[in-house]
Amino acid sequence: MFKKIMKGGHRKPSKSDSTENYAFGPPRSHNPGSVVVNHASRPVLSAPEQNSSPSAPIAPPPLSTAAVEPLPLLRDVPVSERQSLFLRKLQICSYQLDFTNMLKTVREKEVKRRTLLELVDFFQSGSGKITEVCQEEMIKMVAINIFRCLPPASHENTGQEVTDPEEEETHLDPSWPHLQLVYELLLRYVVSSDTDTKVAKRYIDHSFVLKLIDLFDSEDPREREYLKTILHRIYGKFMVHRPFIRKAINNIFYRFIYETERYNGIGELLEILGSIINGFALPMKEEHKLFLARALIPLHKPKPVATYHHQLSYCVTQFVEKDYKLADTVIRGLLKYWPVTNCQKEVLFLGELEEVLEATQSAEFQRCMVPLFRQIARCLNSPHFQVSERALFFWNNEHILGLIAQNRHVVLPLIFEALEKNILGHWNQAVHGLTVNVRKMFMEVDAELFEECRRQYEEKTAGAREVEDQREMTWKRLADVAGEREGGNLVAV
């Protein structure tokens, strides 16, 4: 098999095989809004494996220390011999080494590391293209190295209690010095202006992309960062993969929301989607609106939402900024998943709500303002001062203040009681001071409306006090009757 690879006899040579210079050109500038996705690896060396299912596991070549030997540098050999040497170097990089024991196969690890580093430099500094055969074998080498079984999370199959993801220790892959170079090589290949998309999509296919997306569950943040960049570039360069990538990410979100609530790469996937959403054309497709309603908004439900809320909030806000008519859908969605007992999540939701309201027009505001300010009134009276304080900050936003002023006849009656309760009895002085300022604003904007709300509040308070007095009198009469009956049954001794 090695001789076949050296001779290139296992494959019909393509037109590009006649090219004499096989180096990649330096990567040119690319659109930062693009997105890239990678998936499952392909079978690697033998001819039967090339026809196997894309999802079949990749069997790494058997390790032979004699096979992992240093080779001449590509720049030191004649151009006519570079293709065969390039393939031999890919063969060396395809060997799997044990990184759990750093003292084992030290020489082989160093040879592989240097070979990978040379290939990266070769791609970066070259001035031409590599042949299709080399491209295919390189993607196979990449697949062998990166597509692997990820180690189980600390809470899986260990009998330990499920802990907060923010409190878990981060697992760093010991093989990262090699994996990083493999990812860098793949990135250079994808972004290179010399990479022909029509040829590359034969090897970076749906199977490859799907397996690449599955790797976002890696616990190593360094790997997820590379995956994010590569997937972003693939999305931008391979238009044929775009619907598939969006659907694959969608499926991960569904599984995370409704089944596991465990996935390490939600934040990175949302960062990619943020760039994708920013590039949506108008009018927005129904597919994208359904994605907002069925995936992004329900992502507010899982317990670990704090770990990715910043990215999620950005994506949701992008939708509203693209199409202001979606504001009502988003606000009602936030109210649906509003946290009841988690004050820290409430603070996050209030911050996101303010960003959404900044992009909301008056017509959409009027559709949802009643349930919205009922919830804000509850937040104003929260015993957690950060929640109450964050809700009062809405009146510092000029756009939101303008919406409230235009609809004050609806808003003020909804929150007047909450404001009065804060002034009368909230324990935090900062909250008390902010409440006084908000109350003063309403008084200055519409004194007549303010007085009417105060009159209604006083009547309601008096009515409630009267009902309470009646209840106490009823209980007192019942207690007296019960005492009389017990007294009549007593016998004097």
Side-chain angles (χ1 to χ4, degrees), residues 27 34 78 81 99 119 126 161-163 166 169 176 206 211 219 221 232 279 282 302 350 374 412 421 429 474 482:
S34 58
E81 299 178 12
F99 283 86
L119 292 178
E161 294 183 2
V162 178
T163 57
E166 293 182 314
E169 294 184 3
W176 180 247
H206 283 182
K211 290 180 182 177
E219 290 190 51
H232 191 254
L282 295 176
L350 287 166
R374 282 176 180 165
L412 183 56
K421 286 182 178 179
Q429 289 298 318
T474 302

Side-chain angles (χ1 to χ4, degrees), residues 119-178:
L119 292 178
V120 172
D121 292 339
F122 189 60
F123 266 73
Q124 189 172 0
S125 60
S127 58
K129 299 180 180 179
I130 63 170
T131 65
E132 187 174 338
V133 172
C134 290
Q135 291 182 56
E136 181 179 13
E137 295 305 318
M138 186 190 71
I139 295 301
K140 288 180 180 179
M141 182 275 291
V142 169
I144 289 172
N145 281 276
I146 67 175
F147 298 143
R148 64 208 190 279
C149 292
L150 298 174
S154 57
H155 65 281
E156 293 179 354
N157 303 322
T158 59
Q160 298 180 6
E161 294 183 2
V162 178
T163 57
D164 188 336
E166 293 182 314
E167 298 177 358
E168 292 179 358
E169 294 184 3
T170 302
H171 170 77
L172 300 179
D173 197 317
S175 64
W176 180 247
H178 285 199

Side-chain angles (χ1 to χ4, degrees), residues 84 209 219 294 312 424:
S84 61
V209 167
E219 290 190 51
R294 296 178 180 178
L312 176 60
L424 292 175

